[in-house]
Amino acid sequence: MQLGKGCQSGEPEDMKILLCDDSITVRKKLAQSVKSIIDCEIIEAANGQEAVKFYNENNPELVFMDIVMPFMDGLEALENIIAKDSSAKVIMLSSVGTKANLQKALKSGAIDFVQKPWENDRLKIVIQSHLKEGK
Amino acid sequence: MFSAFFGNYLLNKGLVQLEDMKHVLDVMHTKHLKLGVLAINLGYMTAKEVENVHHKQAIMDKYFGEVAIEQGYLTEKQLEKLLSAQKSERLLLAQTLIEEGIMSHESFEEEIRLYKIEYGLNDDQFEAIKSGDVHVIATAFMTFEKKVEAQQFYIDFVTLFVKNLIRFVDTQVSIDRVQRIEELEYEHLISQYLVGEDTFFTAFGGSSEILLDLAEKYAETSFESFDDYAVDSCQEFLNVTTGLFAVNLSDQNIDYTLKPPTYVENALVRPQKTLYRIPVKLSRGTIYLIVGHLD
């Protein structure tokens, strides 16, 4: 199996959620978890550059963004997305929930932080609470 | 966890064959320790009293404990202790090995004694293996010939690595003594750097078969071979572990930045700095965890 670039998967729905992680394992597991919580179209990005591009093209309701990634890391991608759309809802989802990363992410406009490995219950609360607020 | 540690010791000593051990591990989970035997072992009842209870059970529909209390052989407190001892993995392993005719009671107890001596385990450390206290176990097995400044750092990392293996990959995990690496080749090696005041290097290596098994269990899917997807799964397993480790350090105000994990096939590890490896035994084979500081 080849590790391709970011791709779109699933049935087209009104709701779009962008998942950005360089690990295809994470993207597949996360897509499965998100789909079990909410009907939506999943857009997958494999690095920060793709995330910025796919965000601009698709204007998703919610973004889950990893931090440590090649080409462009998640914090830089977050800044790029917020620079173009200050109302973007970006949730950092990373194994590195250090104080420094949390501070940087929140300062740069992230609305939440989910520590990997995630629990589906935590994911559900995060998705429901942020989608309720509206964009 | 006790079966993994002591079972591997018995295998390494050639006292039990691999097929026999697999059989024992399979059947021991279907067995219960007999309350009567436990009661005799703990000195609560005599063999005659146990026999009396069995005789009464044959003519009335009652549990062993009920009859023994009615007859005044056991107190409720003693019964509680017996029921909790019934879950003892150590006693279950012993009972199964003995019932299957692989070892005698005496040789089992003798090997327990020798095992503690060989690994220099004190009573608390041996209890930790029985209760599955990974941090105490890692401390017992991470003893170095010379003083190593980062010893506690490595123990904490190994603890987290093993806990994540148990959580995501395999409940039958055991580790062996830490070894200093001279030069070693691995069929596959997944590695990662954590950069802070110094650079911490960690990696794990192993064969296609064992890493494929790890990858499948972590990704919760199956792969045809140890392909890019399987490599990615192993990398993510390491990444989650190092990430959580960095978070723990961050809570102590020690900051490290993670570099993305990397993968090398047929990797020759020829350390310029001192590196250590810990054999980690899983149900399907052994992987080698490597730790060290590069500056």
Side-chain angles (χ1 to χ4, degrees):
Chain A
M1 182 168 193
Q2 290 294 311
L3 292 190
K5 288 188 169 184
C7 57
Q8 298 191 5
S9 63
E11 294 295 314
E13 307 279 346
D14 290 333
M15 176 84 66
K16 289 177 183 171
I17 296 184
L18 172 62
L19 313 180
C20 179
D21 199 299
D22 57 327
S23 164
I24 191 170
T25 307
V26 173
R27 296 201 303 274
K28 296 299 168 207
K29 281 172 105 171
L30 185 58
Q32 217 172 22
S33 296
V34 171
K35 282 259 182 191
S36 73
I37 295 165
I38 189 163
D39 276 338
C40 63
E41 180 185 341
I42 298 287
I43 304 156
E44 294 182 22
N47 58 58
Q49 277 175 355
E50 284 190 356
V52 175
K53 182 172 178 278
F54 294 164
Y55 186 88
N56 293 335
E57 288 171 2
N58 294 280
N59 194 28
E61 272 75 9
L62 216 55
V63 181
F64 283 97
M65 181 80 75
D66 186 23
I67 292 182
V68 181
M69 290 185 289
F71 305 118
M72 183 190 287
D73 70 29
L75 291 169
E76 195 182 339
L78 166 70
E79 282 172 5
N80 276 285
I81 289 171
I82 295 291
K84 283 202 171 174
D85 178 5
S86 60
S87 66
K89 291 186 169 184
V90 182
I91 297 160
M92 307 312 284
L93 187 138
S94 168
S95 62
V96 206
T98 59
K99 285 178 198 166
N101 279 338
L102 281 171
Q103 279 168 359
K104 271 186 222 162
L106 295 174
K107 201 176 161 192
S108 302
I111 54 168
D112 216 327
F113 198 106
V114 175
Q115 173 74 40
K116 282 189 204 169
W118 67 88
E119 300 284 346
N120 274 2
D121 287 348
R122 163 84 177 126
L123 211 58
K124 192 174 178 180
I125 291 168
V126 166
I127 290 174
Q128 287 176 342
S129 65
H130 293 302
L131 285 179
K132 217 182 269 176
E133 289 166 7
K135 198 170 170 181
Chain B
M1 184 164 254
F2 178 81
S3 311
F5 274 86
F6 192 60
N8 276 316
Y9 166 81
L10 295 176
L11 284 173
N12 289 341
K13 275 191 88 174
L15 293 168
V16 179
Q17 300 305 305
L18 184 61
E19 283 309 309
D20 286 339
M21 185 52 79
K22 279 182 183 167
H23 172 69
V24 163
L25 292 176
D26 281 345
V27 296
M28 70 178 266
H29 296 295
T30 64
K31 293 193 173 195
H32 290 288
L33 286 164
K34 289 169 184 146
L35 278 186
V37 176
L38 278 176
I40 296 169
N41 280 344
L42 290 173
Y44 294 162
M45 291 171 71
T46 64
K48 194 161 185 202
E49 287 170 345
V50 170
E51 208 176 291
N52 276 344
V53 173
H54 285 158
H55 179 69
K56 289 196 186 303
Q57 272 188 292
I59 51 172
M60 57 174 84
D61 183 26
K62 283 191 173 177
Y63 290 114
F64 181 95
E66 281 180 88
V67 180
I69 287 175
E70 277 173 13
Q71 296 298 313
Y73 299 148
L74 284 180
T75 64
E76 291 208 6
K77 247 192 176 167
Q78 284 173 327
L79 178 61
E80 267 174 41
K81 277 192 181 173
L82 287 178
L83 290 172
S84 128
Q86 212 175 13
K87 293 172 194 153
S88 158
E89 199 184 343
R90 179 196 157 172
L91 293 174
L92 258 179
L93 180 66
Q95 180 178 289
T96 313
L97 283 165
I98 293 160
E99 282 181 0
E100 297 293 318
I102 296 166
M103 288 182 87
S104 68
H105 181 77
E106 291 74 22
S107 59
F108 184 89
E109 290 305 323
E110 175 62 7
E111 287 307 325
I112 289 277
R113 191 182 71 79
L114 295 173
Y115 175 73
K116 284 157 93 173
I117 293 170
E118 182 166 335
Y119 284 92
L121 301 172
N122 61 33
D123 287 345
D124 286 345
Q125 289 166 336
F126 187 66
E127 278 304 312
I129 293 176
K130 290 202 281 177
S131 65
D133 186 332
V134 179
H135 193 263
V136 177
I137 293 168
T139 306
F141 285 81
M142 296 282 289
T143 50
F144 301 85
E145 283 172 22
K146 289 181 191 167
K147 185 175 161 39
V148 172
E149 222 169 271
Q151 182 172 4
Q152 196 54 51
F153 189 94
Y154 298 151
I155 289 169
D156 291 344
F157 184 74
V158 171
T159 300
L160 191 58
F161 187 86
V162 171
K163 279 185 176 176
N164 275 353
L165 278 175
I166 293 169
R167 180 173 172 192
F168 296 111
V169 179
D170 194 339
T171 52
Q172 288 297 311
V173 182
S174 68
I175 59 172
D176 214 323
R177 274 201 200 95
V178 62
Q179 307 153 348
R180 188 177 164 160
I181 297 178
E182 297 299 335
E183 183 176 299
L184 278 170
E185 198 172 346
Y186 296 93
E187 196 179 340
H188 305 284
L189 191 77
I190 311 288
S191 63
Q192 194 164 22
Y193 291 95
L194 276 84
V195 182
E197 274 188 6
D198 49 26
T199 301
F200 172 59
F201 171 78
T202 185
F204 67 91
S207 67
S208 297
E209 192 195 352
I210 180 70
L211 291 192
L212 177 62
D213 188 56
L214 188 153
E216 288 185 333
K217 284 173 177 158
Y218 185 67
E220 296 172 325
T221 189
S222 58
F223 307 119
E224 282 176 16
S225 63
F226 194 66
D227 58 12
D228 290 348
Y229 198 167
V231 168
D232 180 85
S233 175
C234 287
Q235 287 181 324
E236 187 53 25
F237 174 76
L238 185 61
N239 193 47
V240 161
T241 306
T242 51
L244 287 171
F245 187 60
V247 172
N248 292 345
L249 291 170
S250 157
D251 290 342
Q252 300 163 40
N253 294 317
I254 304 167
D255 284 322
Y256 276 91
T257 305
L258 258 68
K259 298 294 170 195
T262 55
Y263 163 69
V264 183
E265 195 173 356
N266 296 321
L268 180 68
V269 179
R270 192 181 287 153
Q272 306 293 313
K273 300 277 180 179
T274 309
L275 293 179
Y276 301 95
R277 77 166 191 169
I278 301 97
V280 182
K281 289 180 181 158
L282 307 173
S283 302
R284 300 287 293 272
T286 303
I287 59 169
Y288 296 91
L289 174 62
I290 297 170
V291 294
H293 278 85
L294 300 187
D295 52 41

